[in-house]
Amino acid sequence: MILDKFSLKGKVAIVTGSNTGLGQGICKAYVEAGAKVVGVSRRPSDETAAICGKNFYNVIADLSSCDVIPKVIDETLKKFGKIDILVNNAGIIKRQDSIEFSEEDWDSVLNVNLKTVFFLTQAVAQQFLKQNSGGKIINIASMLSYQGGIRVPSYTASKSAIKGVTMTLANEWAKYGINVNGIAPGYMATNNTQNLRQDEERSADILARIPAGRWGTPEDLQGAAVFLASEASNYVNGFTLAVDGGWLGR
C-alpha cells in the first residue's frame, strides 16, 4: 500500500535544533510516523521530550564546533543501535547592515549553518556505509537559498551554500542508496523570525507577498520532512523543496 511507504517505523533519526520551532515539529512528526528520534540541542529539549515521549532521546551539544560530532554519533548508536535519517535543522542568524557586518558574526553563522552541517553529514554518511543500509539526509535551507535578503549576509551565504552542497552530496552518494535533499521553509513563525514579526511594517510587507496570506508554522513543514525521510522519496535526489505558502512563485 502506498501509505506504507510513508511510514518511518523502525527508523532512527537525528534531528538537530530539537528544542523549539521547526526542529521540535519535525521530531514530533517522526515519532508519530513510527521513528525513534535523537534530538540534538544546545539546551535541554524538555518540551520536545514531553511531546514525543519514550521514543525521543536528547543529546546536549553545541553545534558551533565540530568537536561534538563524535558525541552525537556515539550517543545515538549507544541508545538506538543505528542511524537511518539525519535532519540538519539547527541554525543561527545575525542581522546587521552589510557595510558594518563583523567577522565574528560572519564566522559564528557559517560555523553552525554550514561547517558543522557538512561534517556531521559526512560522519552520518560514513555510518550509513558501515551499516550498508543507505539513508536519508535532509538539510534545512531557506528562502535565502534562492534570494539575497536584507541585512543577513552570512545567513544568506550559508543557506545558498547548503542548497549547493545538498546537490553535490546527492551526486556523490546516490549510488550508495543515500538520498540527500533539502527543505526551504518560507517565512515561519519561529524564534528566528520573532524580530521580523514584531516589526509591523516589515511583517506586513512579507505577508503581502505570501499567496497563502499567513506566516507558516512548524506543522506546515511536517509532511515534507516525513516524505523526504521515507521510502516514498527513494528516487528524489539533490532537490530542495520549498514549503513557503507560494512565496517563490509570486
Side-chain angles (χ1 to χ4, degrees):
M1 297 293 289
I2 184 60
L3 289 181
D4 294 338
K5 291 186 177 293
F6 290 86
S7 172
L8 301 182
K9 186 177 181 180
K11 302 296 184 181
V12 175
I14 297 173
V15 179
T16 68
S18 59
N19 55 322
T20 60
L22 302 182
Q24 183 179 91
I26 292 170
C27 290
K28 181 175 183 289
Y30 282 1
V31 167
E32 290 178 355
K36 296 176 180 178
V37 177
V38 172
V40 182
S41 54
R42 188 174 58 179
R43 296 179 295 276
S45 296
D46 294 339
E47 185 176 77
T48 307
I51 292 169
C52 293
K54 64 180 181 179
N55 287 327
F56 177 83
Y57 178 73
N58 191 198
V59 174
I60 305 300
D62 184 349
L63 295 171
S64 64
S65 170
C66 291
D67 293 343
V68 301
I69 291 173
K71 174 185 178 181
V72 172
I73 301 297
D74 292 346
E75 288 203 30
T76 301
L77 295 176
K78 182 178 179 180
K79 180 66 177 179
F80 293 128
K82 63 172 183 170
I83 306 170
D84 300 295
I85 302 157
L86 169 65
V87 180
N88 287 304
N89 166 72
I92 62 173
I93 190 168
K94 301 287 185 179
R95 290 185 170 88
Q96 181 67 37
D97 289 346
S98 294
I99 199 71
E100 300 170 348
F101 207 83
S102 71
E103 183 178 359
E104 179 183 0
D105 283 352
W106 180 273
D107 288 344
S108 65
V109 171
L110 268 292
N111 282 341
V112 175
N113 293 11
L114 184 59
K115 182 178 179 180
T116 301
V117 167
F118 175 80
F119 286 104
L120 177 58
T121 300
Q122 181 190 70
V124 169
Q126 289 169 348
Q127 180 62 31
F128 289 162
L129 294 182
K130 290 178 184 177
Q131 295 170 181
N132 194 29
S133 62
K136 306 284 187 174
I137 295 167
I138 302 165
N139 295 322
I140 302 301
S142 169
M143 292 294 94
L144 299 187
S145 300
Y146 298 91
Q147 299 172 325
I150 301 169
R151 304 183 76 243
V152 286
S154 59
Y155 186 83
T156 300
S158 70
K159 293 303 184 178
S160 296
I162 283 295
K163 182 174 179 290
V165 167
T166 296
M167 292 186 284
T168 296
L169 299 182
N171 289 342
E172 294 189 41
W173 296 347
K175 64 185 177 183
Y176 301 122
I178 299 173
N179 298 75
V180 187
N181 292 290
I183 299 174
Y187 284 86
M188 297 283 174
T190 65
N191 292 345
N192 271 355
T193 62
Q194 184 174 355
N195 289 339
L196 289 178
R197 287 180 286 115
Q198 290 177 342
D199 183 332
E200 292 185 11
E201 183 177 351
R202 184 80 174 102
S203 180
D205 287 344
I206 290 168
L207 285 172
R209 184 176 163 169
I210 301 173
R214 63 175 177 85
W215 290 77
T217 68
E219 288 75 18
D220 290 319
L221 211 70
Q222 289 177 332
V226 170
F227 166 63
L228 290 177
S230 74
E231 292 184 5
S233 64
N234 280 352
Y235 201 58
V236 180
N237 295 83
F239 186 72
T240 296
L241 173 63
V243 181
D244 65 351
W247 171 275
L248 289 178
R250 190 61 177 260

